[in-house]
Amino acid sequence: MEKQTTHFGYEEVPVEEKAGRVEKVFDSVAQRYDVMNDLMSMGIHRLWKRITLERSGVRRGQTVLDIAGGTGDLTEKFVQRVGPQGRVVLADINASMLQVGRDRLLDRGVGARVEVVQADAQALPFPDNTFDCITIAFGLRNVTDKDAALASMARVLKPGGRLLVLEFSKPRNPVFEKVYDQYSFHVLPRIGRWVANDADSYRYLAESIRMHPDQQTLQAMMENAGLERVEYTNLTGGVVALHRGFKF
């Protein structure tokens, strides 16, 4: 039987190896993750997440699952939105990222109101029809089987619930895309080496962005997972796209 492979950045690796390799990347960058995000995006990632929060439509008393929530920046905002009667779950497959997120939320005074769960997006450990809203920000591209993850998310959404996927995508302007490529493959790894002492992890992150499905492909994948009214909004010229779909 032919061995199944998948992409780890530009490298072709056995399917069973990818999760372990991704885990090593995030173990390495966890402590400096927020600082690196600010440097790499020049702070614009905060605007992207604020738009995601607004488009989520989350209201008081609702249930929210923040997948690949890592350091908990979106989770913290959802806690404020749902109020004391709501429920917010921070989930991530990586224990190092979860530890950083848990500590940060405790420092901000909201840790007691957040459930922290180490979970694989491909097989979420929640009953069907549990959440009003699910978000995954900059995490889907690291998942081995994206179709399985999207189907798992759709399963645990309540009828009427919505999934928001915030992820790097394909710039719309060819000239801008070339500039962006130069930045991603030459500047970004250097920042990673200077700030986090880890150029290789940030080179992988740049490659993983290029291997991620483009806007239309991801839209179709969400529809195939059973979501409806799927739409996307390009942010910063398509460097990032916010996809949203509903379960009916």
Side-chain angles (χ1 to χ4, degrees):
M1 182 183 295
E2 186 177 349
K3 200 167 188 178
Q4 288 190 314
T5 62
T6 189
H7 295 289
F8 176 76
Y10 287 163
E11 188 179 353
E12 197 82 10
V13 300
V15 165
E16 62 272 15
E17 286 185 14
K18 179 169 179 175
R21 290 197 178 201
V22 171
E23 181 178 15
K24 289 180 180 178
V25 168
F26 285 92
D27 282 345
S28 174
V29 304
Q31 294 298 326
R32 308 290 287 175
Y33 187 76
D34 287 333
V35 173
M36 285 297 299
N37 276 351
D38 279 330
L39 288 172
M40 288 187 302
S41 72
M42 292 170 281
I44 300 173
H45 75 102
R46 297 175 185 273
L47 173 62
W48 298 332
K49 289 174 181 173
R50 188 156 60 242
I51 292 170
T52 302
L53 186 71
E54 295 301 325
R55 295 292 302 279
S56 73
V58 167
R59 303 186 304 276
R60 294 182 73 80
Q62 292 195 323
T63 56
V64 179
L65 172 62
D66 185 17
I67 300 175
T71 55
D73 47 357
L74 261 180
T75 300
E76 181 185 357
K77 301 298 185 186
F78 280 126
V79 169
Q80 297 166 3
R81 289 249 168 163
V82 303
Q85 303 304 316
R87 177 191 180 198
V88 180
V89 179
L90 168 62
D92 202 297
I93 197 172
N94 185 271
S96 298
M97 293 290 288
L98 273 183
Q99 185 62 53
V100 172
R102 183 188 291 111
D103 292 346
R104 173 179 176 167
L105 293 169
L106 286 169
D107 289 344
R108 299 287 179 89
V110 299
R113 295 172 55 193
V114 176
E115 297 173 42
V116 178
V117 178
Q118 187 170 2
D120 184 344
Q122 299 168 140
L124 293 168
F126 306 105
D128 295 359
N129 308 320
T130 297
F131 296 99
D132 294 295
C133 180
I134 297 175
T135 57
I136 179 167
F138 306 115
L140 186 60
R141 73 180 188 279
N142 298 308
V143 174
T144 303
D145 189 337
K146 296 174 180 60
D147 290 310
L150 291 169
S152 185
M153 294 177 214
R155 177 185 65 78
V156 302
L157 272 178
K158 292 179 181 179
R162 55 270 180 214
L163 167 65
L164 289 95
V165 180
L166 179 67
E167 189 55 89
F168 290 104
S169 200
K170 185 175 177 58
R172 300 290 84 190
N173 184 300
V175 175
F176 179 54
E177 184 175 20
K178 289 181 180 178
V179 173
Y180 179 51
D181 278 344
Q182 288 294 313
Y183 172 78
S184 298
F185 290 104
H186 298 285
V187 179
L188 197 155
R190 290 180 183 176
I191 295 175
R193 185 172 66 247
W194 294 334
V195 177
N197 195 30
D198 187 354
D200 289 343
S201 290
Y202 285 93
R203 188 172 295 108
Y204 156 73
L205 292 174
E207 292 175 359
S208 71
I209 291 168
R210 296 307 179 278
M211 299 305 295
H212 185 68
D214 65 14
Q215 290 91 325
Q216 293 83 4
T217 303
L218 181 53
Q219 181 179 23
M221 290 169 68
M222 291 175 67
E223 290 168 346
N224 289 339
L227 296 162
E228 300 180 31
R229 286 170 48 193
V230 179
E231 59 184 5
Y232 64 86
T233 302
N234 286 321
L235 305 174
T236 315
V239 167
V240 163
L242 174 61
H243 285 69
R244 183 176 66 173
F246 294 83
K247 177 179 178 178
F248 294 110

